[in-house]
Amino acid sequence: MSLFSAASYASPHEGYFLKASFYSSGSRTASGEHFNQHGFTAASRTLPFGTRLCVTNPATGRSVVVRINDRGPFVRGRDLDLARGAAVALGMIERGTATLKIVRLSRSASISL
Amino acid sequence: MSLFSAASYASPHEGYFLKASFYSSGSRTASGEHFNQHGFTAASRTLPFGTRLCVTNPATGRSVVVRINDRGPFVRGRDLDLARGAAVALGMIERGTATLKIVRLSRSASISL
């Protein structure tokens, strides 16, 4: 599997790369949870709510763990929308979008960093 | 193993809790690397340089991955000293110290979150 194939969820525990943006507005997420723009959460069109991803910004070397609690982004060519707090921590606010390395985490999942 | 036994490195891939503080001064780390206070790095007295830890602040629910590149903290009762950038991301700046959940990561290590 190419590590650069966007939006490939075939091998959940390997690292792959996704195009991500961030958002800070809204009051309610698609999961029903209150939206906290400072939280480490994210929106995905396909991943189940509650999925945890270890997300790395190669440009800054920073990694955070985000939890999927919303649906989106509804913009072509973007696969993940991070709550602003996670984007701040990853150092991607100025550029607005970033190509991030993603590792899907689960109980006792195998992880390579 | 109790999850609350501080500084227990016996079972590296389980979660355990450590008392952590943060630091922002210094120019050179014990690994020889330049100290970047905005980096996601940390000091430990015992863990090998290059070790990656997934660190969660239960008070904020935020998790980041830090890499050990320095030695410390040399204060009784504290087990981990985070570069300020990681502490900001975890939301522990105001309190100064925090009890953090730690999962040690390695290539293909088992991780539970």
Short mmCIF file of all heavy atoms in Angstrom, two decimals, chain B residues 37-81:
data_model
loop_
_atom_site.label_atom_id
_atom_site.label_comp_id
_atom_site.label_asym_id
_atom_site.label_seq_id
_atom_site.Cartn_x
_atom_site.Cartn_y
_atom_site.Cartn_z
N GLN B 37 11.70 24.84 23.04
CA GLN B 37 10.63 24.85 24.05
C GLN B 37 9.25 24.64 23.44
O GLN B 37 8.31 24.31 24.15
CB GLN B 37 10.67 26.14 24.87
CG GLN B 37 10.33 27.40 24.10
CD GLN B 37 9.90 28.53 25.04
OE1 GLN B 37 9.00 28.38 25.86
NE2 GLN B 37 10.57 29.66 24.93
N HIS B 38 9.12 24.84 22.13
CA HIS B 38 7.83 24.63 21.48
C HIS B 38 7.66 23.20 20.96
O HIS B 38 6.62 22.86 20.41
CB HIS B 38 7.67 25.62 20.32
CG HIS B 38 7.83 27.05 20.75
ND1 HIS B 38 6.94 27.67 21.60
CD2 HIS B 38 8.80 27.97 20.49
CE1 HIS B 38 7.34 28.91 21.83
NE2 HIS B 38 8.47 29.12 21.17
N GLY B 39 8.70 22.41 21.10
CA GLY B 39 8.67 21.04 20.59
C GLY B 39 7.84 20.11 21.45
O GLY B 39 7.51 20.42 22.59
N PHE B 40 7.51 18.96 20.90
CA PHE B 40 6.81 17.93 21.65
C PHE B 40 7.86 16.92 22.13
O PHE B 40 7.91 15.78 21.66
CB PHE B 40 5.74 17.27 20.78
CG PHE B 40 4.45 18.05 20.69
CD1 PHE B 40 4.40 19.40 21.03
CD2 PHE B 40 3.28 17.44 20.29
CE1 PHE B 40 3.21 20.12 20.95
CE2 PHE B 40 2.08 18.14 20.20
CZ PHE B 40 2.04 19.48 20.54
N THR B 41 8.67 17.36 23.06
CA THR B 41 9.74 16.52 23.62
C THR B 41 9.60 16.50 25.13
O THR B 41 8.80 17.24 25.70
CB THR B 41 11.13 17.06 23.23
OG1 THR B 41 11.25 18.40 23.72
CG2 THR B 41 11.33 17.05 21.72
N ALA B 42 10.38 15.64 25.78
CA ALA B 42 10.29 15.53 27.24
C ALA B 42 11.59 15.00 27.81
O ALA B 42 12.40 14.39 27.11
CB ALA B 42 9.13 14.60 27.63
N ALA B 43 11.76 15.27 29.10
CA ALA B 43 12.91 14.76 29.84
C ALA B 43 12.47 13.67 30.80
O ALA B 43 11.44 13.80 31.47
CB ALA B 43 13.57 15.91 30.62
N SER B 44 13.23 12.59 30.82
CA SER B 44 13.01 11.48 31.75
C SER B 44 14.36 11.11 32.34
O SER B 44 15.39 11.25 31.69
CB SER B 44 12.41 10.30 30.99
OG SER B 44 12.63 9.08 31.69
N ARG B 45 14.35 10.64 33.59
CA ARG B 45 15.64 10.24 34.19
C ARG B 45 16.12 8.91 33.65
O ARG B 45 17.31 8.63 33.66
CB ARG B 45 15.50 10.17 35.72
CG ARG B 45 15.45 11.54 36.39
CD ARG B 45 15.51 11.41 37.91
NE ARG B 45 14.35 10.70 38.43
CZ ARG B 45 13.19 11.29 38.73
NH1 ARG B 45 13.04 12.59 38.57
NH2 ARG B 45 12.18 10.59 39.19
N THR B 46 15.18 8.07 33.19
CA THR B 46 15.55 6.68 32.90
C THR B 46 15.25 6.19 31.48
O THR B 46 15.93 5.29 30.99
CB THR B 46 14.79 5.73 33.86
OG1 THR B 46 13.40 6.04 33.76
CG2 THR B 46 15.24 5.93 35.30
N LEU B 47 14.26 6.76 30.82
CA LEU B 47 13.89 6.23 29.50
C LEU B 47 14.95 6.57 28.45
O LEU B 47 15.51 7.66 28.46
CB LEU B 47 12.53 6.80 29.06
CG LEU B 47 11.32 6.31 29.84
CD1 LEU B 47 10.09 7.16 29.50
CD2 LEU B 47 11.04 4.84 29.55
N PRO B 48 15.24 5.65 27.53
CA PRO B 48 16.23 5.92 26.49
C PRO B 48 15.83 7.10 25.61
O PRO B 48 14.63 7.30 25.36
CB PRO B 48 16.24 4.62 25.66
CG PRO B 48 15.61 3.58 26.52
CD PRO B 48 14.65 4.30 27.43
N PHE B 49 16.82 7.84 25.16
CA PHE B 49 16.55 8.91 24.19
C PHE B 49 15.88 8.30 22.96
O PHE B 49 16.25 7.23 22.51
CB PHE B 49 17.84 9.61 23.77
CG PHE B 49 18.50 10.39 24.89
CD1 PHE B 49 19.88 10.38 25.04
CD2 PHE B 49 17.74 11.13 25.78
CE1 PHE B 49 20.48 11.09 26.07
CE2 PHE B 49 18.33 11.84 26.81
CZ PHE B 49 19.71 11.82 26.96
N GLY B 50 14.91 9.02 22.42
CA GLY B 50 14.20 8.55 21.23
C GLY B 50 12.92 7.81 21.57
O GLY B 50 12.09 7.58 20.70
N THR B 51 12.75 7.43 22.85
CA THR B 51 11.50 6.77 23.26
C THR B 51 10.33 7.70 23.00
O THR B 51 10.40 8.89 23.28
CB THR B 51 11.53 6.45 24.77
OG1 THR B 51 12.64 5.61 25.04
CG2 THR B 51 10.24 5.77 25.23
N ARG B 52 9.25 7.15 22.45
CA ARG B 52 8.04 7.94 22.23
C ARG B 52 6.96 7.52 23.20
O ARG B 52 6.72 6.33 23.40
CB ARG B 52 7.54 7.78 20.79
CG ARG B 52 8.39 8.56 19.81
CD ARG B 52 8.04 8.25 18.37
NE ARG B 52 9.12 8.67 17.50
CZ ARG B 52 9.27 9.91 17.03
NH1 ARG B 52 8.41 10.84 17.34
NH2 ARG B 52 10.28 10.20 16.26
N LEU B 53 6.34 8.52 23.83
CA LEU B 53 5.27 8.28 24.79
C LEU B 53 4.01 8.98 24.30
O LEU B 53 4.06 10.14 23.89
CB LEU B 53 5.62 8.86 26.16
CG LEU B 53 6.93 8.44 26.82
CD1 LEU B 53 7.12 9.23 28.13
CD2 LEU B 53 6.92 6.94 27.11
N CYS B 54 2.90 8.26 24.36
CA CYS B 54 1.61 8.90 24.15
C CYS B 54 1.13 9.36 25.53
O CYS B 54 0.92 8.54 26.42
CB CYS B 54 0.60 7.94 23.51
SG CYS B 54 -0.97 8.75 23.16
N VAL B 55 1.01 10.66 25.71
CA VAL B 55 0.78 11.27 27.02
C VAL B 55 -0.61 11.90 27.02
O VAL B 55 -0.91 12.72 26.16
CB VAL B 55 1.84 12.36 27.26
CG1 VAL B 55 1.64 13.04 28.59
CG2 VAL B 55 3.24 11.75 27.17
N THR B 56 -1.44 11.51 27.96
CA THR B 56 -2.81 12.03 28.05
C THR B 56 -3.02 12.77 29.36
O THR B 56 -2.63 12.28 30.41
CB THR B 56 -3.83 10.87 27.97
OG1 THR B 56 -3.63 10.15 26.75
CG2 THR B 56 -5.26 11.38 28.02
N ASN B 57 -3.61 13.95 29.26
CA ASN B 57 -4.01 14.68 30.46
C ASN B 57 -5.48 14.37 30.73
O ASN B 57 -6.36 14.86 30.02
CB ASN B 57 -3.82 16.19 30.24
CG ASN B 57 -4.12 17.00 31.49
OD1 ASN B 57 -4.52 16.45 32.52
ND2 ASN B 57 -3.93 18.31 31.40
N PRO B 58 -5.77 13.55 31.75
CA PRO B 58 -7.17 13.16 32.00
C PRO B 58 -8.05 14.37 32.30
O PRO B 58 -9.26 14.32 32.05
CB PRO B 58 -7.06 12.24 33.22
CG PRO B 58 -5.65 11.78 33.26
CD PRO B 58 -4.84 12.92 32.70
N ALA B 59 -7.46 15.46 32.79
CA ALA B 59 -8.24 16.65 33.14
C ALA B 59 -8.79 17.35 31.91
O ALA B 59 -9.81 18.04 31.98
CB ALA B 59 -7.38 17.61 33.96
N THR B 60 -8.12 17.21 30.77
CA THR B 60 -8.58 17.87 29.54
C THR B 60 -8.94 16.88 28.44
O THR B 60 -9.51 17.27 27.42
CB THR B 60 -7.48 18.80 28.99
OG1 THR B 60 -6.30 18.02 28.69
CG2 THR B 60 -7.11 19.88 29.99
N GLY B 61 -8.58 15.62 28.62
CA GLY B 61 -8.85 14.61 27.60
C GLY B 61 -7.92 14.69 26.40
O GLY B 61 -8.12 13.99 25.40
N ARG B 62 -6.91 15.52 26.47
CA ARG B 62 -6.01 15.70 25.33
C ARG B 62 -4.82 14.77 25.41
O ARG B 62 -4.27 14.53 26.48
CB ARG B 62 -5.50 17.14 25.29
CG ARG B 62 -6.59 18.14 25.03
CD ARG B 62 -6.03 19.53 25.12
NE ARG B 62 -6.93 20.52 24.59
CZ ARG B 62 -6.57 21.78 24.34
NH1 ARG B 62 -5.34 22.17 24.56
NH2 ARG B 62 -7.45 22.63 23.85
N SER B 63 -4.41 14.28 24.24
CA SER B 63 -3.24 13.40 24.14
C SER B 63 -2.27 13.93 23.11
O SER B 63 -2.68 14.36 22.03
CB SER B 63 -3.65 11.98 23.71
OG SER B 63 -4.57 11.42 24.60
N VAL B 64 -0.99 13.88 23.43
CA VAL B 64 0.05 14.19 22.45
C VAL B 64 1.12 13.10 22.54
O VAL B 64 1.18 12.35 23.51
CB VAL B 64 0.71 15.57 22.69
CG1 VAL B 64 -0.33 16.68 22.68
CG2 VAL B 64 1.49 15.59 23.99
N VAL B 65 1.93 13.03 21.49
CA VAL B 65 3.05 12.12 21.50
C VAL B 65 4.32 12.93 21.72
O VAL B 65 4.58 13.89 20.98
CB VAL B 65 3.14 11.33 20.18
CG1 VAL B 65 4.37 10.42 20.18
CG2 VAL B 65 1.88 10.50 19.98
N VAL B 66 5.09 12.58 22.75
CA VAL B 66 6.36 13.27 23.01
C VAL B 66 7.51 12.29 22.84
O VAL B 66 7.36 11.08 23.01
CB VAL B 66 6.41 13.91 24.42
CG1 VAL B 66 5.36 14.98 24.58
CG2 VAL B 66 6.30 12.85 25.51
N ARG B 67 8.65 12.85 22.50
CA ARG B 67 9.87 12.06 22.31
C ARG B 67 10.87 12.46 23.39
O ARG B 67 11.08 13.65 23.66
CB ARG B 67 10.43 12.37 20.91
CG ARG B 67 11.68 11.61 20.52
CD ARG B 67 12.03 11.89 19.06
NE ARG B 67 12.04 13.32 18.74
CZ ARG B 67 13.06 14.14 18.99
NH1 ARG B 67 14.17 13.69 19.54
NH2 ARG B 67 12.97 15.42 18.69
N ILE B 68 11.45 11.46 24.05
CA ILE B 68 12.43 11.73 25.11
C ILE B 68 13.75 12.16 24.48
O ILE B 68 14.34 11.41 23.69
CB ILE B 68 12.67 10.47 25.98
CG1 ILE B 68 11.37 9.97 26.62
CG2 ILE B 68 13.74 10.75 27.05
CD1 ILE B 68 10.72 10.90 27.60
N ASN B 69 14.19 13.39 24.80
CA ASN B 69 15.49 13.84 24.30
C ASN B 69 16.32 14.54 25.37
O ASN B 69 17.33 15.14 25.07
CB ASN B 69 15.32 14.75 23.07
CG ASN B 69 14.82 16.14 23.43
OD1 ASN B 69 14.31 16.35 24.53
ND2 ASN B 69 14.95 17.07 22.51
N ASP B 70 15.85 14.44 26.64
CA ASP B 70 16.57 15.14 27.71
C ASP B 70 16.48 14.34 29.00
O ASP B 70 15.67 13.41 29.10
CB ASP B 70 15.96 16.55 27.89
CG ASP B 70 16.96 17.56 28.45
OD1 ASP B 70 18.11 17.17 28.74
OD2 ASP B 70 16.59 18.74 28.58
N ARG B 71 17.34 14.70 29.96
CA ARG B 71 17.33 14.06 31.27
C ARG B 71 16.73 15.00 32.31
O ARG B 71 17.00 16.20 32.30
CB ARG B 71 18.77 13.67 31.68
CG ARG B 71 19.34 12.53 30.84
CD ARG B 71 18.60 11.23 31.12
NE ARG B 71 18.97 10.17 30.19
CZ ARG B 71 18.08 9.39 29.58
NH1 ARG B 71 16.79 9.55 29.77
NH2 ARG B 71 18.48 8.43 28.78
N GLY B 72 15.93 14.47 33.18
CA GLY B 72 15.27 15.22 34.24
C GLY B 72 13.93 14.55 34.51
O GLY B 72 13.69 13.48 33.94
N PRO B 73 13.03 15.08 35.29
CA PRO B 73 13.25 16.24 36.15
C PRO B 73 14.00 15.84 37.43
O PRO B 73 13.82 14.72 37.91
CB PRO B 73 11.83 16.68 36.49
CG PRO B 73 11.01 15.43 36.39
CD PRO B 73 11.68 14.56 35.37
N PHE B 74 14.82 16.75 37.94
CA PHE B 74 15.62 16.44 39.12
C PHE B 74 14.94 17.00 40.36
O PHE B 74 15.54 17.66 41.19
CB PHE B 74 17.05 16.94 38.93
CG PHE B 74 17.68 16.36 37.69
CD1 PHE B 74 17.91 17.13 36.58
CD2 PHE B 74 17.99 15.00 37.64
CE1 PHE B 74 18.47 16.58 35.41
CE2 PHE B 74 18.53 14.44 36.49
CZ PHE B 74 18.77 15.23 35.37
N VAL B 75 13.65 16.72 40.45
CA VAL B 75 12.82 17.16 41.56
C VAL B 75 12.10 15.92 42.08
O VAL B 75 11.53 15.16 41.30
CB VAL B 75 11.78 18.21 41.08
CG1 VAL B 75 10.82 18.57 42.20
CG2 VAL B 75 12.48 19.45 40.54
N ARG B 76 12.16 15.71 43.38
CA ARG B 76 11.55 14.55 44.01
C ARG B 76 10.05 14.50 43.70
O ARG B 76 9.37 15.52 43.75
CB ARG B 76 11.77 14.70 45.52
CG ARG B 76 11.61 13.43 46.32
CD ARG B 76 11.66 13.82 47.81
NE ARG B 76 11.38 12.67 48.64
CZ ARG B 76 12.32 11.98 49.27
NH1 ARG B 76 13.59 12.32 49.18
NH2 ARG B 76 11.99 10.94 50.03
N GLY B 77 9.55 13.32 43.35
CA GLY B 77 8.11 13.14 43.14
C GLY B 77 7.63 13.50 41.75
O GLY B 77 6.45 13.42 41.47
N ARG B 78 8.56 13.89 40.88
CA ARG B 78 8.17 14.15 39.49
C ARG B 78 8.93 13.23 38.57
O ARG B 78 10.13 12.99 38.76
CB ARG B 78 8.48 15.60 39.09
CG ARG B 78 7.51 16.55 39.75
CD ARG B 78 7.64 17.92 39.17
NE ARG B 78 7.12 18.91 40.11
CZ ARG B 78 7.47 20.18 40.12
NH1 ARG B 78 8.34 20.62 39.23
NH2 ARG B 78 6.96 21.00 40.99
N ASP B 79 8.22 12.72 37.56
CA ASP B 79 8.80 11.67 36.73
C ASP B 79 9.04 12.09 35.30
O ASP B 79 9.76 11.40 34.57
CB ASP B 79 7.88 10.45 36.75
CG ASP B 79 7.61 9.98 38.15
OD1 ASP B 79 8.57 9.55 38.81
OD2 ASP B 79 6.47 10.09 38.62
N LEU B 80 8.42 13.17 34.89
CA LEU B 80 8.52 13.56 33.49
C LEU B 80 8.48 15.09 33.42
O LEU B 80 7.69 15.73 34.11
CB LEU B 80 7.32 12.98 32.72
CG LEU B 80 7.42 12.86 31.21
CD1 LEU B 80 8.48 11.83 30.81
CD2 LEU B 80 6.07 12.44 30.64
N ASP B 81 9.35 15.65 32.61
CA ASP B 81 9.38 17.10 32.41
C ASP B 81 9.14 17.35 30.92
O ASP B 81 9.94 16.94 30.08
CB ASP B 81 10.76 17.64 32.82
CG ASP B 81 10.68 18.95 33.59
OD1 ASP B 81 9.55 19.42 33.86
OD2 ASP B 81 11.74 19.47 33.96
#
